[in-house]
Amino acid sequence: MTHSPEKICNKLVVEPASRLDLARRDPSDRLGFAGKRDAELRLAEDIAAMAALQDVFAAVATHALLIVLQGIDAAGKDGVIKHVMTGVNPQGISVHAFKEPTSLEARHDYLWRAQNALPERGRIGIFNRSHYEDVLVTRVHPELLEEFRGEAERQGHAFWRERFEDIAAFERHLTRNGTVVLKFFLHVGKDEQRKRFLKRLEDPNKQWKFSASDLQQRAYWKQYMTAYEDALSATSTACAPWYVVPADHKWVSRLVVATIVVAALRRLHLTYPVPAPQMRALLETAKQQLDA
């Protein structure tokens, strides 16, 4: 049984300074849950807990929470956002999807657009894909590096190692300044991805999700897995760890993300702000006026 938040975290975390081997991580792992119904009951509890914790989180406004979701096409990133955040106050959350850089973004360093999308204290931010695209998709398709391609080819792995160091330093800076960083890699198997693509093609209500690039990128499966192993191994730190989430069963991945988010919020031990004596006096005066 792997039901407690601590056991789930320990089982799925990428230990700092260790080498991740995705072939040894089972994307169909159910983590000890009997089935979908069992997990959905637990998910409902976590969603309710998250809603209550978010209220205190927003009221105190001493921390921000950044949730990073990475995964190959059809891994279930959109579904996680939709189902896990269903009970959260939308005023306190923002979702940013990182696609091909705009012309403005391309004229800045690759972390610039991530910096601009960070949540402020008291808010939850979700990166649907993230700054990691610049060590994943560009690693598989170096032509996207444009003016940096020559440098990447000359330096080889050293080029990517420097980017890994930059990202780790960026996330360390965030955590030191009050942002909780949770990073999830939704690990879906190649056969399960094929099934999801077929389902999109067969369902008129889901055909809009499919694009020709989905099949094109699937041809680079092995290269993407290597890129993920390198990036996650190099950037999973004590302050901003990576969790490899089994994603063949969507109900498992959604529950895992919810459970880890709730556990992280609880570890902050936040309580509602207590008014200072002068403010309490003002509140009492206001109450008396309203009662009258």
Side-chain angles (χ1 to χ4, degrees):
M1 299 291 286
T2 319
H3 284 193
S4 73
E6 293 77 16
K7 288 182 178 179
I8 289 175
C9 289
N10 292 338
K11 182 178 177 65
L12 303 182
V13 72
V14 178
E15 293 294 341
S18 67
R19 176 65 189 177
L20 171 65
D21 182 358
L22 286 174
R24 299 175 65 86
R25 300 288 185 114
D26 182 7
S28 64
D29 193 345
R30 295 180 175 223
L31 300 178
F33 287 93
K36 184 176 181 179
R37 179 59 179 166
D38 184 24
E40 285 181 340
L41 291 173
R42 169 73 172 271
L43 176 59
E45 295 174 358
D46 283 341
I47 289 173
M50 194 186 306
L53 289 163
Q54 185 215 9
D55 196 60
V56 184
F57 186 80
V60 178
T62 55
H63 295 76
L65 172 60
L66 175 63
I67 299 172
V68 174
L69 295 176
Q70 286 288 157
I72 60 172
D73 296 322
K77 299 179 292 296
D78 293 343
V80 165
I81 296 170
K82 177 180 178 180
H83 290 271
V84 173
M85 297 297 162
T86 184
V88 175
N89 185 340
Q91 293 186 101
I93 190 168
S94 60
V95 179
H96 191 91
F98 286 80
K99 302 182 184 296
E100 182 179 351
T102 66
S103 59
L104 174 62
E105 291 169 343
R107 291 198 297 272
H108 290 80
D109 68 274
Y110 69 93
L111 289 175
W112 181 81
R113 60 178 183 164
Q115 180 75 41
N116 284 347
L118 290 171
E120 61 193 74
R121 292 186 181 90
R123 293 179 59 84
I124 298 173
I126 300 176
F127 283 1
N128 185 353
R129 299 188 189 272
S130 66
H131 45 295
Y132 281 90
E133 292 296 286
D134 287 286
V135 292
L136 294 168
V137 66
T138 53
R139 181 84 179 272
V140 176
H141 299 286
E143 65 274 11
L144 298 177
L145 286 167
E146 296 181 348
E147 67 268 25
F148 291 102
R149 182 176 182 176
E151 184 180 348
E153 291 174 345
R154 286 192 301 273
Q155 295 187 27
H157 186 69
F159 177 86
W160 301 106
R161 185 174 63 248
E162 289 180 357
R163 285 202 167 192
F164 297 152
E165 292 172 355
D166 291 341
I167 290 173
F170 171 63
E171 293 172 351
R172 184 168 59 250
H173 166 74
L174 295 181
T175 60
R176 286 176 174 175
N177 285 273
T179 297
V180 178
V181 181
L182 299 177
K183 302 181 295 190
F184 302 97
F185 170 59
L186 303 188
H187 183 30
V188 68
K190 190 174 185 180
D191 188 55
E192 177 61 23
Q193 187 200 50
R194 180 185 66 84
K195 293 176 182 177
R196 293 182 185 181
F197 281 167
L198 286 172
K199 190 172 183 179
R200 288 180 180 181
L201 291 170
E202 295 165 356
D203 187 345
N205 295 327
K206 294 186 177 181
Q207 288 174 352
W208 64 273
K209 291 185 175 182
F210 189 84
S211 69
S213 66
D214 293 339
L215 283 182
Q216 293 171 357
Q217 295 308 308
R218 180 174 166 82
Y220 295 93
W221 182 277
K222 184 176 180 180
Q223 292 92 323
Y224 271 110
M225 292 304 103
T226 298
Y228 268 110
E229 288 174 345
D230 287 350
L232 272 59
S233 298
T235 60
S236 190
T237 61
C239 62
W242 272 105
Y243 297 96
V244 178
V245 181
D248 275 8
H249 302 292
K250 294 179 180 179
W251 48 269
V252 172
S253 56
R254 293 164 185 172
L255 173 60
V256 166
V257 172
T259 296
I260 294 176
V261 169
V262 168
L265 290 173
R266 283 177 171 159
R267 283 196 298 271
L268 297 177
H269 302 293
L270 301 177
T271 57
Y272 285 105
V274 177
Q278 183 178 5
M279 177 57 68
R280 286 200 297 269
L282 291 173
L283 295 175
E284 181 60 31
T285 299
K287 181 177 181 302
Q288 292 173 2
Q289 292 175 351
L290 289 171
D291 286 339

